[in-house]
Amino acid sequence: ALLLATPLAAQEYIVTDGPLSDVDFYQLVACAATPGQGCNGPLVQWNRAVVAVTFAPIPVTYPVENARELDRALDRAVTQIRSATPNLNLRRVPKYAPADIVIHLQDIKEGDAIAGTGYPDLDGTPIGAAQVQIFWDSNLDLTEAAIVFAADIPIDQLGPIMIEELTQAMGLMTDIRNPYYNTRSVFSEDSNSVAKLGVQDRIA
């Protein structure tokens, strides 16, 4: 099974208004549930001793400064997620090492088609700024994930987008469209300014 972040196979974001309870927030990002209603997707999670993440080989044509900032941003994102989820051993491994989550930096711009990831349902899909795809098994345990970054993302947005995409690769795939969360959550649909997990992000 697969779920695409942009566009989602089910629902990309949920529109709400004002602060949500912790339960409603969790169910929204975890299974696309509108507050007060049931899930619209499966609840999936990593269930293994170590979840490894790394970069795929980076094209020589990818902007050097963006690649360097994403390298730093990955370390920051791993640290944040590990601090929020002590039972999940998310670990960065060297390039070319086997990994559960592989990050692809592609020399493409917004609207261009993703290519060369090796995932048939991801390659050929138009990209926004970035896109994540996750896979799970019949037990709803995540098995692998791929994240793709375009080359024309403003450098000041790379950190916020990295923490959002890597957090979504934990199985929390639905964004929230709600002005209250524009400065409070990495899941905000309308903001790329939140560089740290918010209080409810960490709870989720």
Side-chain angles (χ1 to χ4, degrees):
L2 64 86
L3 192 63
L4 295 179
T6 309
L8 281 172
Q11 193 158 0
E12 184 177 352
Y13 60 86
I14 302 290
V15 179
T16 62
D17 184 50
L20 304 182
S21 71
D22 293 343
V23 171
D24 283 345
F25 184 90
Y26 166 70
Q27 291 182 332
L28 186 154
V29 300
C31 64
T34 298
Q37 301 182 23
C39 288
N40 288 305
L43 287 166
V44 296
Q45 63 181 352
W46 291 103
N47 183 23
R48 54 185 62 187
V50 176
V51 178
V53 58
T54 193
F55 285 100
I58 300 172
V60 295
T61 53
Y62 196 84
V64 173
E65 287 303 313
N66 283 36
R68 288 175 178 167
E69 178 57 27
L70 285 167
D71 183 81
R72 294 187 289 264
L74 177 58
D75 286 335
R76 296 193 298 267
V78 168
T79 298
Q80 287 191 57
I81 292 171
R82 289 185 64 170
S83 71
T85 56
N87 294 325
L88 174 65
N89 189 359
L90 180 64
R91 182 184 302 170
R92 182 175 179 177
V93 297
K95 295 183 183 71
Y96 305 105
D100 306 294
I101 304 169
V102 179
I103 300 170
H104 302 260
L105 309 187
Q106 297 201 342
D107 188 14
I108 57 177
K109 298 179 179 180
E110 181 176 355
D112 291 345
I114 296 169
T117 67
Y119 295 99
D121 294 292
L122 188 56
D123 290 338
T125 302
I127 196 169
Q131 187 158 323
V132 59
Q133 177 172 324
I134 58 176
F135 295 87
W136 59 87
D137 61 21
S138 59
N139 295 318
L140 300 182
D141 292 328
L142 291 167
T143 58
E144 59 183 312
I147 301 171
V148 183
F149 283 85
D152 60 343
I153 304 171
I155 199 162
D156 64 329
Q157 295 183 20
L158 292 173
I161 293 174
M162 175 63 81
I163 185 62
E164 177 188 3
E165 300 302 306
L166 193 58
T167 302
Q168 288 189 321
M170 299 300 102
L172 307 174
M173 289 287 291
T174 306
D175 282 344
I176 181 170
R177 172 162 279 174
N178 180 334
Y180 177 83
Y181 288 101
N182 285 354
T183 59
R184 291 178 170 88
S185 174
V186 301
F187 296 103
S188 172
E189 171 67 14
D190 298 315
S191 172
N192 285 327
S193 64
V194 182
K196 294 183 179 180
L197 293 173
V199 173
Q200 289 185 302
D201 297 340
R202 293 175 62 85
I203 292 170

